[in-house]
């Protein structure tokens, strides 16, 4: 009787563990696919069903080719299979398509599953949908290109400075005016560009502080080019934003 009770208890425990594992797999947001060694799907979680917009029974038994691919922008299904079986695991970007043609860019990780004897019995793929992140990164990149185009083709010299007056960025006009490269500007303050004895640097720094508080400032300035040439100019300071950071734009 005790043996029978122990057997029932062990069976119940195993069933509860399997049920819990099934719940975990179906409730995580990552897409989980298990296949045999030839890429035939044996299991998909709810995230796959929802993303691919296909019923589980249609996915199960099909090859991973059902997910579609874009070989020009990501690994092909055959490449993933071969590299996983050869190396034991693989990670990379893939492009899949749901039933309605919606594109999904995925960060995919795969690995071989071994049995108790160490024999390979299955392949498991876990993918994170990074489509929105990629779109945001692309939008930011295009935004930066637009900013950089306007910034560099402005006829006035433009300097982006932090609260301490340190140069964070300069445009081409500023480089042409002073003869320094962008790298030679970054990390320095206006003192680097000041004609010796011609500017009150305490006054300059006070104006930077006031501009940072939102008070536009304007003053005369004597600059010195990299070749030593001294010239007069006028500086206008305003508070601004530089990729989400508060700065002074000179």
């Amino acid at each position: 009787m005790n043996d029978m009770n122990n057997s029932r208890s062990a069976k119940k425990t195993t069933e509860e563990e399997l049920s819990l594992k099934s719940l975990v797999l179906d409730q995580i947001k990552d897409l989980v696919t298990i296949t045999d060694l030839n890429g035939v799907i044996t299991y998909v979680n709810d995230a796959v069903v929802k993303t691919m917009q296909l019923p589980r029974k249609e996915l199960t038994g099909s090859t991973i080719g059902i997910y579609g691919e874009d070989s020009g922008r990501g690994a092909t299904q055959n490449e993933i299979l071969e590299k996983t079986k050869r190396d034991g695991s693989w990670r990379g970007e893939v492009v899949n398509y749901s039933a309605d043609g919606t594109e999904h860019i995925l960060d995919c990780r795969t690995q071989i599953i071994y049995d108790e004897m160490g024999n390979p019995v299955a392949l498991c793929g876990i993918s994170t949908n990074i489509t929105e992140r990629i779109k945001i990164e692309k939008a930011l990149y295009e935004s930066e290109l637009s900013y950089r185009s306007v910034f560099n083709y402005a006829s006035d010299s433009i300097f982006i400075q932090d609260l301490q007056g340190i140069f964070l960025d300069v445009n081409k006009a500023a480089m042409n005016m002073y003869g320094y490269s962008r790298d030679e500007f970054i990390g320095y303050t206006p003192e680097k560009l000041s004609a010796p004895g011609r500017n009150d640097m305490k006054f300059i720094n006070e104006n930077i502080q006031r501009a940072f508080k939102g008070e536009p400032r304007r003053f005369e300035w004597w600059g010195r080019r990299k070749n030593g040439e001294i010239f007069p100019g006028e500086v206008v300071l305003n508070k601004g934003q530089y990729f989400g950071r508060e700065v002074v734009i000179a």
Side-chain angles (χ1 to χ4, degrees):
M1 183 65 72
N2 286 336
D3 289 342
M4 185 177 295
N5 288 336
N6 289 337
S7 177
R8 288 175 179 172
S9 178
K11 181 179 180 181
K12 182 179 180 181
T13 300
T14 300
E15 290 174 347
E16 289 175 347
E17 289 178 352
L18 290 173
S19 177
L20 178 59
K21 290 176 181 178
S22 179
L23 287 172
V24 170
L25 287 172
D26 277 335
Q27 291 183 30
I28 63 175
K29 294 182 178 179
D30 284 340
L31 287 70
V32 180
T33 299
I34 298 175
T35 75
D36 65 14
L37 297 177
N38 296 314
V40 176
I41 299 171
T42 58
Y43 169 85
V44 293
N45 70 345
D46 285 352
V48 173
V49 173
K50 182 179 180 180
T51 300
M52 302 313 297
Q53 298 180 10
L54 290 170
R56 183 176 272 103
K57 64 181 180 181
E58 185 172 339
L59 291 166
T60 304
S62 300
T63 67
I64 53 175
I66 197 172
Y67 294 155
E69 62 187 23
D70 184 340
S71 59
R73 293 187 295 155
T76 66
Q77 309 292 359
N78 285 334
E79 287 173 343
I80 296 171
L81 278 176
E82 293 306 314
K83 290 179 180 179
T84 303
K85 288 192 285 186
R86 183 191 67 202
D87 302 328
S89 63
W90 176 86
R91 180 170 187 170
E93 192 171 293
V94 297
V95 178
N96 290 165
Y97 296 89
S98 56
D100 67 355
T102 300
E103 177 185 272
H104 301 283
I105 305 171
L106 307 174
D107 174 19
C108 180
R109 292 88 69 200
T110 66
Q111 69 177 63
I112 296 177
I113 305 300
Y114 299 91
D115 64 14
E116 295 84 351
M117 303 298 293
N119 300 311
V121 293
L123 304 176
C124 179
I126 301 176
S127 300
T128 302
N129 197 325
I130 58 173
T131 308
E132 289 306 313
R133 191 191 81 192
I134 295 297
K135 287 181 179 178
I136 291 171
E137 289 175 352
K138 182 180 179 182
L140 288 173
Y141 175 72
E142 291 175 348
S143 175
E144 182 174 357
L145 284 181
S146 296
Y147 148 78
R148 185 64 59 183
S149 177
V150 173
F151 185 64
N152 277 328
Y153 287 99
S155 57
D156 288 335
S157 298
I158 302 175
F159 305 82
I160 308 297
Q161 301 169 263
D162 66 10
L163 180 59
Q164 286 70 44
I166 295 173
F167 297 127
L168 305 177
D169 205 351
V170 296
N171 69 347
K172 287 184 178 179
M175 290 182 260
N176 292 335
M177 176 179 285
Y178 283 93
Y180 290 105
S181 69
R182 182 175 181 275
D183 288 342
E184 289 176 305
F185 273 107
I186 305 305
Y188 287 92
T189 65
E191 193 165 3
K192 178 184 178 75
L193 310 178
S194 176
R198 295 290 190 97
N199 300 301
D200 182 345
M201 295 311 300
K202 182 179 179 181
F203 169 79
I204 302 298
N205 290 329
E206 287 175 352
N207 275 277
I208 291 173
Q209 301 295 316
R210 292 176 69 176
F212 203 85
K213 293 178 181 178
E215 300 179 36
R217 312 303 299 165
R218 183 188 296 267
F219 53 86
E220 293 183 351
W221 164 266
W222 285 90
R224 181 177 63 176
R225 296 187 172 92
K226 187 176 182 178
N227 64 8
E229 181 182 348
I230 293 173
F231 65 95
E234 182 180 58
V235 176
V236 177
L237 302 179
N238 286 283
K239 184 177 181 178
Q241 290 282 327
Y242 178 74
F243 297 106
R245 180 177 180 178
E246 291 188 343
V247 295
V248 169
I249 302 174

